[in-house]
Amino acid sequence: MNVLTDNFRTYAEGFLGTLRLTVYASALALVLGFLAASFRVAPVGSLRFLGTAWVTVLRNTPLTLLFFAVLLGLPRFGLVLPFQVFAVLALGCYTSAFICEALRAGINTVPKGQGEAARSLGMTFGQTLGLVILPQAFRSVIPPVGSTLIALAKNSAIAGAFSVTELLGTYKTLSELGYDIVWTFVWIAAGYLVITLAISALFGVLERKWGTAR
């Protein structure tokens, strides 16, 4: 226990750093994922192309490479922001591709007749998607979206290699102070477990309330 009690402040800063990355990147991923999914099912060819390109590029790019591109590449073009903001951008954009595919799969579970009926009533594409399709699709995408955000929380560990305060990075400080590396990682793992279990519990509540019965 002395590893935790003697360095509680260090662990707390790392835990809060990971929590902030997870919350902000999740919000960004959900917004971008929703937009990309809307593009992918849009009746406009150019929007479908943009949505497909976004998903294809990001899903097939290693996350570490994306971190290098964002944190080290964007400043070369004059965009200078705190590294934590860059880390949120990298995590959020990367995860949005997986959120998009989860939403699109949910949209595909809604019978086509629902959309046709909405259009026959004079609804626009946006109204059909927002008022008819997505509310039904949401019920079936709660579990995969929750799993994707849990993966995001664990992927945030990469940010520590780019001078961003997060939980995994605390091992460097504690290792330099001579603490047992095994117990150092035990408490780091416990911190990640708290975050991932919290996300799992949240989506468990959502699924029980709105999920599709199997």
Side-chain angles (χ1 to χ4, degrees), residues 123-212:
M123 288 187 175
T124 64
F125 169 74
Q127 291 173 327
T128 301
L129 188 65
L131 299 177
V132 178
I133 305 300
L134 284 179
Q136 298 181 69
F138 172 75
R139 296 165 61 87
S140 63
V141 303
I142 294 174
V145 169
S147 297
T148 302
L149 296 185
I150 288 174
L152 182 153
K154 294 183 287 186
N155 287 339
S156 67
I158 297 176
F162 296 89
S163 303
V164 176
T165 301
E166 53 79 43
L167 191 55
L168 183 60
T170 60
Y171 90 89
K172 299 176 185 177
T173 302
L174 300 185
S175 179
E176 291 172 356
L177 293 175
Y179 286 94
D180 190 314
I181 194 67
V182 174
W183 284 106
T184 297
F185 278 110
V186 165
W187 290 114
I188 289 173
Y192 279 107
L193 188 63
V194 169
I195 294 174
T196 55
L197 286 179
I199 297 173
S200 180
L202 172 62
F203 278 84
V205 171
L206 294 176
E207 186 175 10
R208 285 192 296 274
K209 188 172 184 178
W210 289 303
T212 303

Side-chain angles (χ1 to χ4, degrees), residues 52-132:
T52 302
W54 179 267
V55 171
T56 301
V57 170
L58 290 174
R59 288 186 71 191
N60 292 285
T61 300
L63 182 54
T64 304
L65 179 60
L66 186 59
F67 264 87
F68 274 109
V70 172
L71 275 78
L72 303 181
L74 292 182
R76 293 178 176 269
F77 294 95
L79 185 58
V80 180
L81 296 169
F83 269 21
Q84 187 177 50
V85 176
F86 283 136
V88 168
L89 287 175
L91 278 170
C93 290
Y94 178 79
T95 308
S96 70
F98 298 90
I99 295 291
C100 168
E101 289 303 274
L103 291 176
R104 190 169 71 94
I107 290 172
N108 288 337
T109 64
V110 179
K112 291 183 178 180
Q114 297 282 333
E116 294 171 352
R119 286 192 294 272
S120 70
L121 294 174
M123 288 187 175
T124 64
F125 169 74
Q127 291 173 327
T128 301
L129 188 65
L131 299 177
V132 178

